[in-house]
Amino acid sequence: MNISFYDLSVWVLPLVLAITFHEAAHAFVADRLGDDTASQLGRVSFNPLRHIDPFGTVILPAMLLFTHSPFLFGYAKPVPVNFRKLNNPRLDMVWVALAGPATNILLALAAALAFHALPLVPASSAKWVADNLKNALVINAILAVFNMMPIPPLDGGRVAVGLLPRALAMPLARLEPFGMLILIGLLILLPLAGSQFGLNLDVISAILRTLTGHVIQAVLFLTGNA
């Protein structure tokens, strides 16, 4: 697979910005709601180096890309949150979790709105700027949808734990240590196993792709790009 410097320049920048703002939003909202754990560690920051996880942000996505995985994903360094320090632990956990995906939606809207300013960009740079904006829209939509999967430790799992009755929330919360293994199984191992028997078991990533498409279309409509 040939990846040029141009390809990297139009994918890496929007990806790093999307991840950085996502994690900083978690830290900021947690701090505002009473838990300064992440703030004390410098995570309320737009410095990407404070949020990037070498394996999850760089190595894992690269491995999946070069092995032609049916779905690409990765993760940043988790923002530490001490839920006991939050003013209202169960409800505030929901707000902290929602902060990341909500920020990605706002970034997607900002990127789509910026399309209208492309005529002001010098012709020599217009394609590079347009590709960055397009990829920013796509990446932020993917991050918002993917992170809202109801599996801890993803944001959607935390939201579900905070909103569900305790009888359902507690068993779901206990899945958190196994969350990444469950994701790898659903998104990578299951489709690969199915392909060995001629079965299409790529159901979860197909659902995610469909939902992401709907989010992108909604963002384009709201910003007058439809």
Side-chain angles (χ1 to χ4, degrees), residues 13-14 20 91 102 137 179:
L13 180 59
T20 299
L91 180 59
L137 170 58

Side-chain angles (χ1 to χ4, degrees), residues 8 22 31 45-46 73 83 94 109 129 134 149 166 178 190 217 219-220:
L8 290 174
H22 180 107
D31 184 57
S45 170
F46 293 129
F73 75 98
F83 296 109
V94 173
L109 287 166
V129 173
K134 179 188 70 176
M149 289 179 66
R166 290 188 180 274
F178 314 103
L190 185 62
Q217 289 302 315
V219 168
L220 291 174

Side-chain angles (χ1 to χ4, degrees), residues 86-105:
L86 295 171
N87 300 326
N88 185 341
R90 284 203 77 193
L91 180 59
D92 290 349
M93 175 174 66
V94 173
W95 294 119
V96 172
L98 285 174
T103 297
N104 289 129
I105 294 297

Side-chain angles (χ1 to χ4, degrees), residues 19 23 43 48-61 74-78:
I19 291 173
E23 299 301 331
R43 298 298 300 277
L49 296 178
R50 295 190 179 274
H51 304 291
I52 289 175
D53 179 273
F55 179 78
T57 312
V58 180
I59 298 174
L60 178 59
Y75 55 88
K77 194 184 303 179

Side-chain angles (χ1 to χ4, degrees), residues 32-54:
R32 298 292 291 179
L33 294 177
D35 176 27
D36 64 350
T37 305
S39 178
Q40 292 294 324
L41 294 173
R43 298 298 300 277
V44 184
S45 170
F46 293 129
N47 179 356
L49 296 178
R50 295 190 179 274
H51 304 291
I52 289 175
D53 179 273

Side-chain angles (χ1 to χ4, degrees), residues 25-192:
H26 284 314
F28 174 77
V29 172
D31 184 57
R32 298 292 291 179
L33 294 177
D35 176 27
D36 64 350
T37 305
S39 178
Q40 292 294 324
L41 294 173
R43 298 298 300 277
V44 184
S45 170
F46 293 129
N47 179 356
L49 296 178
R50 295 190 179 274
H51 304 291
I52 289 175
D53 179 273
F55 179 78
T57 312
V58 180
I59 298 174
L60 178 59
M63 288 172 55
L64 297 177
L65 178 65
F66 286 109
T67 57
H68 305 282
S69 166
F71 191 85
L72 299 178
F73 75 98
Y75 55 88
K77 194 184 303 179
V79 169
V81 179
N82 184 345
F83 296 109
R84 295 184 185 87
K85 294 178 68 175
L86 295 171
N87 300 326
N88 185 341
R90 284 203 77 193
L91 180 59
D92 290 349
M93 175 174 66
V94 173
W95 294 119
V96 172
L98 285 174
T103 297
N104 289 129
I105 294 297
L106 290 176
L107 289 173
L109 287 166
L113 283 171
F115 279 124
H116 295 296
L118 280 176
L120 304 176
V121 177
S124 59
S125 305
K127 184 179 187 306
W128 184 82
V129 173
D131 285 342
N132 266 283
L133 292 176
K134 179 188 70 176
N135 292 338
L137 170 58
V138 171
I139 288 169
N140 279 286
I142 290 173
L143 283 177
V145 171
F146 177 76
N147 277 285
M148 285 307 295
M149 289 179 66
I151 300 173
L154 295 180
D155 300 324
R158 297 265 172 85
V159 170
V161 169
L163 295 180
L164 287 172
R166 290 188 180 274
L168 298 174
M170 294 309 294
L172 181 61
R174 284 195 286 269
L175 291 178
E176 181 155 342
F178 314 103
M180 292 307 298
L181 293 176
I182 293 172
L183 287 170
I184 291 171
L186 290 174
L187 297 172
I188 300 174
L189 300 181
L190 185 62
L192 289 176

